[in-house]
Amino acid sequence: KKPCAIIAAVGDGMSSTAGVSGRFFTALGDAKINVLAISQGCSERNISAVVWTEESTRALRAVHAAFRLSHTTVYIGIVGMNEIGDSLLKLLEGQRSKIRDTFEVDLQVRGVVSNGSDPNLITLKKLDDKYSDSITIGAYNAKTGGSLMLGAPALGSSVSFDEVCSEEDVAAVSPGGISSISDFVRSEDVAHSIIFDCTAEEQVGRKHADWLQNGVHVITANNSALSGPKEVREAIAVAETRAGKQSAQYLREVTVGGGLPVISTLRDLLNSGDKIRRVDGILSVSWSYIMHRIAPPPGVFDCSDFDEVISSGAYRGDHSMSPKAKGEPCSFSDAVREAIGLGLMEIDPIKDLSFEYTAQCLMVLAIELGVDKEYDIGKILAANPSDAEPGKDFDEISPFLDQLMSERVSEAAAKGCVPRQISSIDVKTGAIEIKIIDVPNNHIFATTPPSNECVRFFTARHKRYPMIVQGPSAGVDSTASALLAELLHLMRSKVGPRSGTLSRTGSSAVLA
């Protein structure tokens, strides 16, 4: 038989304090500790549990964290060191001490993979070194040769010259890539392991189910798995429930709407007993920007002037997001090139222009609404053809698209409308649509600012006036913040936050 160990909670006030044993055993259960035997002394000053010795360190850490005797340690892996991954790693570094003080959660980055094709990953050089227990952006760039710009210290951190010079001693290059990152993130001594997927790669999405099966939580901005082949979606669904309440969780809020609470709002409506009849809106950041640039609604700058006055400088009135634009309409191809330059769409714009990205977002929502059984990306795109067909070269078809969209804008203006890309899911019929339609100049779809998304929920309770989620969905920092927020939501059920203190710095408020 395997060796055993005894974990005990001892205190004079146990007999008169409610919930001590509940907190003790809940902590062990959350840490996936198998309790072999339980004992309590007649004096009621002691609760003991027998566990396997190999799980004793994890059990002790879990109980200490539950009684606020130590922090809850979370091991983290990051896949995708694009702009989002870079911003996330800086954010984790800059916010680590504040999160540790506020939530008593210590976030330690243990593995980083640049992309799904990289055969290697960056890991901690000494996994047991308490002074170098997390990979920083400087340590990552020191090993990969990243630029000085990307390797800039995280916001809120002060780094000396000697510390910068020693960054290379923190990390090491290890083989395996995405196939082995979970091995470096998982540990018998730590109860919670998380992998962030910051990519848009299908091969990374196919690993989600494997990571979940290994007990690693997945927080993803990559919707290729949920919108991919049926067998991949089913594998994720099985992995999410493999161990009942102790199963690893799959957090997907960022896959639709970036930092906007689209999926959580949908789930809150359903969980509160409402019935969703229809979901529609602007789901593509790139199309939002492009259509607003070629057909801005009348009076949009009057609103800007008003907001600048009443917000006392907090409002930044830049509706174009382009240094070259002054708000005047431009051609379709120019708007596309601006969107590429602003990082709102792929270098090859056809993936966005052919509705492929929008279809992926709709597939994620269709899963949440239970109308995905008869659909896949191919069927959605076949039912909603775009004038920019997949496989075409944008530069070749741009004159045709410029002429076509110019005519659409003129025809819409004659009716007092502007064209917008609108996506929808009708729950009753199961229809999923992506259309360029003309909307009235004063409609919310017309006035939604560029690079913003707008999602409406028509429900049994919200019929005439739907519930609306609207806001900016662009920007790597916003997406990185949304990913970190998902982690904090996950850990909220494991540990409770201390009472935070708001402090003021300059003209803004922060949690101290």
Side-chain angles (χ1 to χ4, degrees):
K1 294 184 178 181
K2 295 189 292 184
C4 299
I6 297 176
I7 305 294
V10 181
D12 286 336
M14 289 180 59
S15 60
S16 59
T17 303
V20 174
S21 59
R23 187 186 303 185
F24 181 80
F25 289 109
T26 297
L28 294 177
D30 286 342
K32 302 181 179 63
I33 302 298
N34 183 28
V35 177
L36 306 175
I38 301 171
S39 174
Q40 184 176 27
C42 62
S43 64
E44 297 187 25
R45 295 177 179 175
N46 172 290
I47 297 177
S48 302
V50 179
V51 301
W52 298 121
T53 298
E54 64 186 18
E55 296 179 344
S56 60
T57 300
R58 187 164 84 249
L60 187 61
R61 286 182 173 181
V63 172
H64 276 183
F67 288 95
R68 300 194 182 281
L69 301 176
S70 67
H71 300 106
T72 297
T73 300
V74 179
Y75 284 174
I76 292 173
I78 299 176
V79 179
M81 283 304 290
N82 47 27
E83 289 182 316
I84 296 175
D86 181 84
S87 178
L88 176 62
L89 186 53
K90 291 178 181 177
L91 187 61
L92 289 170
E93 179 184 350
Q95 293 294 110
R96 183 183 178 187
S97 61
K98 187 172 294 184
I99 290 173
R100 186 167 51 212
D101 294 339
T102 303
F103 293 91
E104 295 189 331
V105 174
D106 188 22
L107 306 178
Q108 300 181 12
V109 181
R110 311 284 282 188
V112 181
V113 185
S114 62
N115 56 66
S117 302
D118 193 337
N120 299 314
L121 71 158
I122 305 302
T123 62
L124 286 177
K125 182 175 290 187
K126 298 178 181 179
L127 297 180
D128 58 349
D129 186 353
K130 65 179 180 180
Y131 299 106
S132 302
D133 55 4
S134 184
I135 299 172
T136 62
I137 188 66
Y140 176 83
N141 286 323
K143 275 299 169 187
T144 61
S147 67
L148 292 177
M149 179 70 71
L150 289 177
L155 183 63
S157 65
S158 57
V159 182
S160 67
F161 178 77
D162 292 337
E163 289 173 322
V164 172
C165 294
S166 64
E167 294 281 16
E168 192 169 355
D169 297 329
V170 174
V173 179
S174 302
I178 59 174
S179 298
S180 63
I181 187 172
S182 63
D183 297 333
F184 292 91
V185 173
R186 290 178 66 248
S187 171
E188 288 296 328
D189 296 338
V190 173
H192 306 291
S193 303
I194 296 171
I195 292 179
F196 287 98
D197 182 359
C198 302
T199 74
E201 302 175 37
E202 293 182 11
Q203 61 180 326
V204 179
R206 290 179 178 273
K207 297 295 295 182
H208 290 179
D210 294 339
W211 295 335
L212 293 170
Q213 289 283 1
N214 289 333
V216 178
H217 305 295
V218 176
I219 303 177
T220 180
N222 180 3
N223 58 23
S224 67
L226 291 173
S227 62
K230 185 177 181 180
E231 60 269 18
V232 176
R233 305 199 303 265
E234 290 178 344
I236 291 174
V238 170
E240 283 187 283
T241 58
R242 180 184 66 87
K245 292 183 178 180
Q246 293 187 344
S247 301
Q249 295 189 35
Y250 191 64
L251 287 83
R252 65 200 76 182
E253 181 72 77
V254 188
T255 60
V256 179
L260 297 181
V262 176
I263 292 179
S264 59
T265 299
L266 187 154
R267 290 182 173 180
D268 287 343
L269 289 170
L270 294 175
N271 292 334
S272 62
D274 207 347
K275 295 181 180 179
I276 296 178
R277 299 157 53 227
R278 175 184 173 87
V279 179
D280 65 13
I282 300 172
L283 290 175
S284 169
V285 172
S286 56
W287 274 102
S288 171
Y289 178 85
I290 292 167
M291 301 307 287
H292 198 285
R293 284 290 290 116
I294 68 173
V300 64
F301 293 103
D302 294 337
C303 296
S304 299
D305 295 340
F306 174 77
D307 286 332
E308 286 182 359
V309 171
I310 68 166
S311 66
S312 302
Y315 174 79
R316 181 180 177 184
D318 182 7
H319 276 272
S320 67
M321 285 186 63
S322 171
K324 297 187 301 181
K326 301 299 182 181
E328 299 84 358
C330 65
S331 69
F332 184 82
S333 59
D334 285 343
V336 169
R337 293 185 180 96
E338 286 181 9
I340 295 174
L342 292 167
L344 301 179
M345 61 195 310
E346 304 292 334
I347 298 298
D348 179 8
I350 295 298
K351 183 173 182 179
D352 285 299
L353 299 181
S354 64
F355 298 164
E356 182 177 343
Y357 176 77
T358 309
Q360 289 177 330
C361 294
L362 286 171
M363 271 300 301
V364 177
L365 291 177
I367 293 172
E368 297 291 325
L369 294 168
V371 296
D372 62 304
K373 306 302 181 185
E374 304 299 324
Y375 281 99
D376 57 32
I377 292 296
K379 289 183 179 180
I380 295 177
L381 293 177
N384 300 278
S386 168
D387 294 309
E389 299 178 12
K392 297 285 187 178
D393 181 82
F394 175 71
D395 291 331
E396 292 181 2
I397 65 174
S398 59
F400 162 74
L401 293 176
D402 283 345
Q403 179 64 28
L404 178 68
M405 296 310 296
S406 176
E407 294 174 357
R408 284 294 305 266
V409 170
S410 298
E411 292 172 0
K415 299 183 293 183
C417 298
V418 290
R420 294 291 185 263
Q421 188 217 45
I422 307 300
S423 308
S424 65
I425 299 177
D426 190 297
V427 177
K428 182 178 180 179
T429 64
I432 299 179
E433 295 184 340
I434 308 171
K435 304 291 184 184
I436 304 293
I437 62 176
D438 297 338
V439 300
N441 287 332
N442 58 352
H443 193 276
I444 190 170
F445 290 157
T447 59
T448 295
S451 76
N452 280 229
E453 295 188 5
C454 178
V455 182
R456 304 190 303 175
F457 297 93
F458 291 88
T459 74
R461 297 170 184 163
H462 305 280
K463 297 178 181 178
R464 182 176 179 183
Y465 301 110
M467 179 173 287
I468 298 173
V469 176
Q470 182 189 38
S473 182
V476 295
D477 292 338
S478 296
T479 303
S481 296
L483 290 170
L484 179 56
E486 284 280 78
L487 182 151
L488 297 178
H489 287 313
L490 172 65
M491 296 308 299
R492 183 180 297 167
S493 61
K494 313 299 181 185
V495 293
R498 289 181 179 270
S499 56
T501 302
L502 281 175
S503 64
R504 294 185 55 168
T505 58
S507 61
S508 60
V510 296
L511 187 65

